[in-house]
Amino acid sequence: QVQLVESGGGLVQAGGSLRLSCAASGRTFSRYAMGWFRQAPGKEREFVAAIRRTGEDTYYADSVKGRFVISRDNARNTVYLQMNSLKPEDTAIYYCAAATTYSGAYYHGSYDYWGQGTQVTVSS
């Protein structure tokens, strides 16, 4: 089992920044590819970003490319999502997730473990 706990969400004005963190406990964190997803009210959960086990490769949704940066610190068992130039359409609950494989990282079904989510609200 892997337990994931997100933090860092909140209310921010458009154009602002937030950094989300996801702390993992349980089995060895470095064995897992990590991803961030988000879900807005009335919408399906959508992929945001993913990172390989050792962090040498990352992948982003087109909607956040150039604005968001995913990173990880395996020594701290933590994955981060730095969100810059936030827009009102970024408002959602953000979830981190862990997968045993990086293949299909954009697909929520590829992930084995999920956190409870953290709310991000961007005001216009």
Side-chain angles (χ1 to χ4, degrees):
Q1 288 286 337
V2 175
Q3 292 80 42
L4 303 172
V5 179
E6 303 95 336
S7 61
L11 174 64
V12 64
Q13 289 188 332
S17 298
L18 283 175
R19 188 175 83 154
L20 305 184
S21 299
C22 173
S25 61
R27 293 184 178 179
T28 307
F29 176 71
S30 62
R31 293 180 182 175
Y32 293 90
M34 299 297 296
W36 285 96
F37 288 75
R38 66 187 182 186
Q39 188 166 17
K43 295 188 177 181
E44 294 186 353
R45 190 168 299 191
E46 66 172 354
F47 170 75
V48 175
I51 188 167
R52 281 192 187 272
R53 299 171 186 178
T54 57
E56 77 276 15
D57 189 24
T58 56
Y59 181 56
Y60 296 92
D62 288 343
S63 58
V64 306
K65 200 173 296 182
R67 300 188 298 122
F68 290 11
V69 177
I70 187 172
S71 62
R72 67 189 295 162
D73 184 342
N74 286 346
R76 295 179 182 271
N77 285 3
T78 302
V79 62
Y80 304 97
L81 185 68
Q82 177 67 43
M83 306 187 295
N84 302 319
S85 302
L86 283 161
K87 304 175 181 179
E89 52 263 44
D90 294 318
T91 295
I93 299 174
Y94 283 71
Y95 300 89
C96 71
T100 56
T101 176
Y102 187 68
S103 175
Y106 57 89
Y107 176 53
H108 64 83
S110 299
Y111 291 81
D112 305 290
Y113 302 101
W114 291 84
Q116 293 300 306
T118 185
Q119 176 71 48
V120 171
T121 303
V122 184
S123 63
S124 57

